[in-house]
Structures are given as structure tokens and as C-alpha cells.
Amino acid sequence: KAGVTQTPRYLIKTRGQQVTLSCSPISGHRSVSWYQQTPGQGLQFLFEYFSETQRNKGNFPGRFSGRQFSNSRSEMNVSTLELGDSALYLCASSLSPMSSYEQYFGPGTRLTVT
Amino acid sequence: ELKVEQNPLFLSMQEGKNYTIYCNYSTTSDRLYWYRQDPGKSLESLFVLLSNGAVKQEGRLMASLDTKARLSTLHITAAVHDLSATYFCAVDIGGSQGNLIFGKGTKLSVKP
């Protein structure tokens, strides 16, 4: 069974640009969550999607947005990139957003903003 | 402010020794997760603790949850080098995996 895949794995962008990251969950998983990991702030929750609906959103500015498609694949977009957006972006999938279900994390997309 | 505090943040231990990592949290929750992260890699789910008094064990690792004390522990028994990694606890504050607050992580180094 294939795991969670994220593309691209590495990305270098310039301040002011926008970026789109993609996440394909494990087959059959309908819940997708996104996290940002930085050395300073640690791991922070961005969004959670289930059945194409955003269920939860973390404390991030409106420049961060996301969506989920009917096949459960998810994308996140960051507009007007800032240096502080440089981070590892992790996607996780689970069967359901319910807490009892285990989350499986993808390898991450490392974004560098210059 | 919601806080999840892990200690220690850095732990250097010898192979064969036992040690415990602590995770304290400041809000009411009865769901807690432990993850492992190897350098440059993603997160691997270790334990999902869903109720007060929950105890789970896998190999040399055992996790427990005391919701009244707002404390979870990750106990390492007879450490081996392969356990070297960063361990995170995360608290569910909203009844959904989308409301996880993570600790800063404990970087464990097991030396021969």
C-alpha cells in the first residue's frame, strides 16, 4: 500500500511569489491535515480537510490557503511568500478526522524562500 | 495560552539504560499522541492514547497518559542506538486530529 506522497519534495522561491504544494493521501484515507515545521516555532497545525471541506484551521494568516479534491488529494497555497515561510511542510492522512484514527505523515516539502 | 511542554529537550543516554520523557499540557484533553522523527525525515506515529490511564507499549518504548495530572510519559527501556531520534508529543484540544498542539520535541541520542 503506497504511503502519503507529497510533491515537490524541495522548492526554492523568491519573496513575493506564490507556491502550491500537493499531497496525495493513502488510498482510502479521506482526512488530510497540513503542518508547518520550523526550527523556531516547531510543529504547527495549518489545516484539516475531510470530504472536500475544511474542518479546522490553525492560527496562520490568510496568505495560507488549501483545498481538497473529490479524490481526497489536497493542495495548499501560500501567496506573497515571506522569508519566514521557509519551512518543512508536512501532510498527514487518516481514515477519518476522529482522534482515534492514526495519522500517517508524508515525507514533506522543504520550502526555501530567498 | 495553550502549552505543551516536553522535558528534557535534549537527552544523551548510554545503551542499556532506562529513561523517561515527560509531556505536560495546560488544557483539558483526553487524547495524546507520540511521534518519532529521524533527522531530515518525516514524522512516524508511535502511540495514540485515547483515555485516562491508557498505557501502550511497543518494543522498548512504553507510553502512558494521566489526564487528571495532564501528563504523559514515554519510557525507554534498555536503550539502543536505533532509538536515537527526536520524539514529539501532541495534544488533541478539539476532539479531532486537526487540533493538535505539539511539544517542542525531545532529541534523544543513545551512545554505545
Side-chain angles (χ1 to χ4, degrees), chain A residues 99-100, chain B residues 25 29-32 48-56 63-68 71-72:
Chain A
S99 301
S100 55
Chain B
Y25 53 97
S29 175
D30 59 0
R31 295 176 175 84
L32 189 138
V48 179
L49 303 170
L50 298 177
S51 60
N52 185 40
V55 177
K56 290 197 174 179
S64 66
L65 177 61
D66 182 344
T67 59
K68 293 178 182 176
L71 170 69
S72 180

Side-chain angles (χ1 to χ4, degrees), chain A residues 33 35 37 40-41 43-45 48 55-56 88 90 94 96-103 105-108, chain B residues 31 33 35 37 40-48 50 88 92 94-104:
Chain A
S33 297
Y35 300 87
Q37 185 176 28
Q41 298 299 316
L43 274 156
Q44 295 182 282
F45 165 72
E48 179 193 27
R55 288 180 41 118
N56 290 292
L88 179 66
L90 293 168
S94 65
S96 154
M98 294 303 293
S99 301
S100 55
Y101 287 94
E102 194 169 350
Q103 283 194 100
F105 282 80
Chain B
R31 295 176 175 84
Y33 306 79
Y35 296 92
Q37 186 175 39
K41 300 293 180 83
S42 187
L43 293 175
E44 174 190 355
S45 176
L46 293 175
F47 300 108
V48 179
L50 298 177
F88 293 92
D92 173 2
S96 163
Q97 296 194 53
N99 283 310
L100 295 186
I101 306 296
F102 283 83
K104 291 193 177 298

